[in-house]
Amino acid sequence: MLKQFEEIATSPKEQFDKFLLEGKKVVLCAPVYTPNEIIHSMGLIPFGTWGADMGISNAKQYYPAFICSIIQSILELGMKGSFDGASAIVIPSLCDSLKSLGENWKYAVDKIPFIPMVYPQNRKEDFGIDFTVSRYKRVIEDLERITNVQFCESSLISSLEMYNRHNKVMREFSDAVSRYSSITAEERSYVFKSSYFMDVEEHTSMVEELIELINEAPTVLDSKTRIILTGILADNANLLGIMDENKFHIVSDDLAHESRQYRVDSETEGNALLNLASKFARMDNCSVLFDPKKGRADYLLDQVKTNDANGVIFCMTKFCDPEEFDIVIIKNTLDNAGIPNVTIEIDRQMENYEQARTILQTFKEVLG
Ligand code: SF4
């Protein structure tokens, strides 16, 4: 089963083409949070795109070098035609780089319509929730116009239920891996990553089956070092391979690309759009969600205790300003609590991971 997850996670283009061949309409979803439930409820396929590890050439016409490579590689893929056939792309406004992606996309990839999803900074107050609902309505109007498919409130309730089920299995999967160190960092990542390129129903069933197999197997906790990853994403096979070489057991994560997507469920009674906006309002502990108290640092401390972790690795996406603001507070909090931690800088154009290897080897030696 792990091999199947790997095959899907490493072949997004094949998955994309398969949906198109089946006659399905695919809507691209950029980081960090998009209303996938709305897209799903309309019978469309929400297809995640967090860029790819690749060289950047065409996107350089639009971006200077000091923009995060996730954004640059999404635009590069669009300009190279990798998404040809997609009905639209939804790009949220959650950081300055994402805001510029939408505007650049309109000119650089004009055959795939750009749908903005504008979120309020103050998402928790009633006026913030109302604003989020109004922006969901804008997304729905655009989707209806572009795809000729009608939105239906009751279908959205079913989709909220489906996504709640998916959230639950992803949380259970992370817990199961923390008790079963035979699953490598790379394999764990493939299970999360594959979800972006699959029907949510199919991914949920596969993960449920995998959890059953893990639960039937005897607990395996060898001498690996128990680690929590934090950051935007850590999906590069070379990087994860170094973690595996050094016998790091990823017992939990606070990655935007992985567990942050699955922490909060929607209410399923009452007004569906309001429920979805309330879910967004209740989401926390993420660098792109406004939080003057920066609760993410204490959240990580709790995660370390709950998972009996030996240390934290901060996977710092180069030129990501939301994460750069958080890192100082997180580092100080972990240092003050005596939690070993280390930062590695990563980006999607890296070919050589030797610097990360040296840092991680040293971290392993320090942890013993
Ligand atoms: S990595 Fe950072 S800068 Fe890039 S899109 Fe994500 S939040 Fe924005």
Side-chain angles (χ1 to χ4, degrees):
M1 282 206 81
L2 291 167
K3 198 74 205 154
Q4 283 179 47
F5 283 109
E6 177 179 348
E7 276 162 16
I8 295 165
T10 53
S11 61
K13 181 71 178 134
E14 282 81 347
Q15 302 305 312
F16 179 82
D17 289 343
K18 185 166 75 75
F19 285 128
L20 293 185
L21 270 176
E22 289 167 357
K24 294 181 175 157
K25 292 185 178 171
V26 175
V27 176
L28 303 169
C29 295
V32 178
Y33 304 110
T34 42
N36 292 23
E37 293 90 333
I38 290 176
I39 300 166
H40 176 268
S41 74
M42 295 173 73
L44 310 167
I45 303 290
F47 194 88
T49 172
W50 289 56
D53 293 327
M54 63 193 298
I56 308 290
S57 54
N58 297 353
K60 289 207 163 109
Q61 296 168 48
Y62 291 86
Y63 282 124
F66 46 87
I67 291 275
C68 88
S69 54
I70 296 176
I71 295 301
Q72 293 195 55
S73 61
I74 293 172
L75 192 65
E76 183 79 14
L77 289 166
M79 291 176 78
K80 286 200 162 137
S82 302
F83 302 129
D84 284 3
S87 298
I89 182 167
V90 179
I91 304 176
S93 60
L94 287 163
C95 74
D96 288 348
S97 309
L98 282 162
K99 284 174 197 152
S100 72
L101 176 64
E103 297 308 313
N104 285 332
W105 185 277
K106 284 196 278 194
Y107 292 93
V109 199
D110 58 357
K111 59 188 152 188
I112 301 176
F114 154 54
I115 301 178
M117 177 59 224
V118 180
Y119 286 107
Q121 288 290 327
N122 291 292
R123 64 195 180 284
K124 291 182 182 289
E125 309 296 335
D126 286 349
F127 59 80
I129 294 175
D130 288 347
F131 183 83
T132 307
V133 169
S134 75
R135 296 306 84 198
Y136 286 156
K137 287 182 178 165
R138 156 76 198 264
V139 171
I140 292 167
E141 276 170 27
D142 282 357
L143 285 172
E144 286 184 332
R145 179 175 44 78
I146 293 165
T147 63
N148 284 323
V149 178
Q150 290 303 300
F151 171 75
C152 158
E153 175 92 15
S154 63
S155 299
L156 181 55
I157 289 285
S158 307
S159 294
L160 297 182
E161 286 166 356
M162 184 63 235
Y163 275 80
N164 284 352
R165 199 177 125 208
H166 189 229
N167 289 350
K168 182 166 171 279
V169 299
M170 295 311 288
R171 294 192 295 258
E172 285 174 3
F173 169 69
S174 183
D175 288 347
V177 175
S178 76
R179 301 187 301 273
Y180 193 69
S181 60
S182 297
I183 292 188
T184 65
E186 197 178 337
E187 288 165 340
R188 181 185 185 281
S189 163
Y190 288 139
V191 174
F192 279 95
K193 189 170 179 177
S194 55
S195 71
Y196 289 91
F197 315 135
M198 291 177 73
D199 273 327
V200 64
E201 288 84 355
E202 200 188 342
H203 192 258
T204 304
S205 304
M206 274 180 68
V207 181
E208 280 171 346
E209 202 181 324
L210 179 62
I211 294 169
E212 250 177 61
L213 292 171
I214 296 173
N215 288 343
E216 278 167 17
T219 299
V220 177
L221 285 175
D222 53 22
S223 58
K224 285 185 178 174
T225 308
R226 296 173 69 80
I227 291 293
I228 293 180
L229 299 181
T230 185
I232 294 293
L233 92 177
D235 66 346
N236 181 281
N238 292 330
L239 175 68
L240 295 166
I242 295 168
M243 293 185 192
D244 288 327
E245 277 167 30
N246 284 287
K247 299 208 175 310
F248 289 138
H249 174 197
I250 311 304
V251 291
S252 182
D253 77 83
D254 165 47
L255 296 169
H257 186 238
E258 297 186 7
S259 291
R260 282 189 211 166
Q261 298 289 328
Y262 304 112
R263 286 177 189 158
V264 180
D265 294 336
S266 306
E267 299 289 327
T268 52
E269 302 289 328
N271 182 304
L273 280 180
L274 204 56
N275 291 344
L276 194 56
S278 302
K279 172 191 166 186
F280 180 68
R282 283 181 284 111
M283 288 164 69
D284 275 313
N285 305 320
C286 173
S287 52
V288 299
L289 300 177
F290 177 58
D291 175 13
K293 296 193 177 139
K294 292 288 175 196
R296 179 178 165 201
D298 287 333
Y299 174 82
L300 264 173
L301 265 189
D302 279 353
Q303 287 294 300
V304 169
K305 285 182 198 142
T306 314
N307 292 285
D308 197 18
N310 303 109
V312 173
I313 298 175
F314 201 123
C315 301
M316 179 75 227
T317 298
K318 217 169 174 176
F319 302 125
C320 172
D321 24 323
E323 289 284 298
E324 282 167 354
F325 287 128
D326 277 11
I327 190 171
V328 181
I329 297 155
I330 288 175
K331 177 150 182 54
N332 286 345
T333 305
L334 293 176
D335 285 350
N336 290 339
I339 310 293
N341 62 91
V342 74
T343 300
I344 44 172
E345 200 178 47
I346 51 174
D347 80 21
R348 284 218 172 284
Q349 292 174 75
M350 263 166 94
E351 283 172 6
N352 189 324
Y353 280 81
E354 290 314 300
Q355 206 174 20
R357 184 189 302 280
T358 307
I359 293 169
L360 293 175
Q361 276 173 348
T362 310
F363 191 46
K364 174 75 181 184
E365 282 167 22
V366 168
L367 289 173

